[in-house]
Amino acid sequence: MVKLVVTDKDGRDVVVEAPPGLSIMENIRQLPRSVEAVCGGLCSCATCHVLIDEESMRRLPPRRYEERLMLAGSRSFDAARSRLSCQIKVTADIDGLRLTVAPDDL
Ligand code: FES
């Protein structure tokens, strides 16, 4: 299992034990104050937006074009930290990754 440390929309830290292979979104969406993931991981809604801890960000592959496009419309976009959690696969390389669920875009 891969450990993810998730700060939810209320600022609470939750540790998630995630099996490799699924996306981060699929492992955190069941938390009470987490991402909505309206499109189910199709990279077409941006409601799975998370802010990755800067040290953890260095361990991730770069954003693909489609992800960059979706994030560009978010009011809480942070160039250094924003990712769509549905576009990141859980692997052993990201064990201990820290992320914060982005605030809702209203
Ligand atoms: S779940 Fe819709 S873009 Fe990630």
Side-chain angles (χ1 to χ4, degrees), residues 25 37-48 84 86:
M25 177 276 282
V38 172
C39 79
L42 299 176
C43 200
S44 62
C45 72
T47 59
C48 66
L84 295 180
C86 71

Side-chain angles (χ1 to χ4, degrees), residues 18-38:
L22 298 178
S23 69
I24 290 179
M25 177 276 282
E26 291 169 295
N27 281 284
I28 68 171
R29 73 187 302 188
Q30 80 283 358
L31 300 174
R33 296 282 292 147
S34 186
V35 297
E36 292 180 40
V38 172

Side-chain angles (χ1 to χ4, degrees), residues 1-5 15-20 24 53 55-56 59-60 88-98:
M1 289 295 209
V2 175
K3 187 172 97 172
L4 305 173
V5 183
V15 175
V16 174
E17 297 286 339
I24 290 179
D53 171 82
E55 184 280 322
S56 299
R59 294 191 273 151
L60 299 178
I88 305 170
K89 285 270 183 262
V90 172
T91 66
D93 294 342
I94 67 168
D95 188 44
L97 183 125
R98 303 184 75 91

Side-chain angles (χ1 to χ4, degrees), residues 37-71:
V38 172
C39 79
L42 299 176
C43 200
S44 62
C45 72
T47 59
C48 66
H49 183 186
V50 295
L51 301 166
I52 307 282
D53 171 82
E54 287 190 31
E55 184 280 322
S56 299
M57 194 74 164
R58 288 192 278 276
R59 294 191 273 151
L60 299 178
R63 303 175 188 101
R64 292 183 309 124
Y65 174 75
E66 295 81 4
E67 183 180 357
R68 291 201 309 269
L69 212 56
M70 291 307 302
L71 285 169

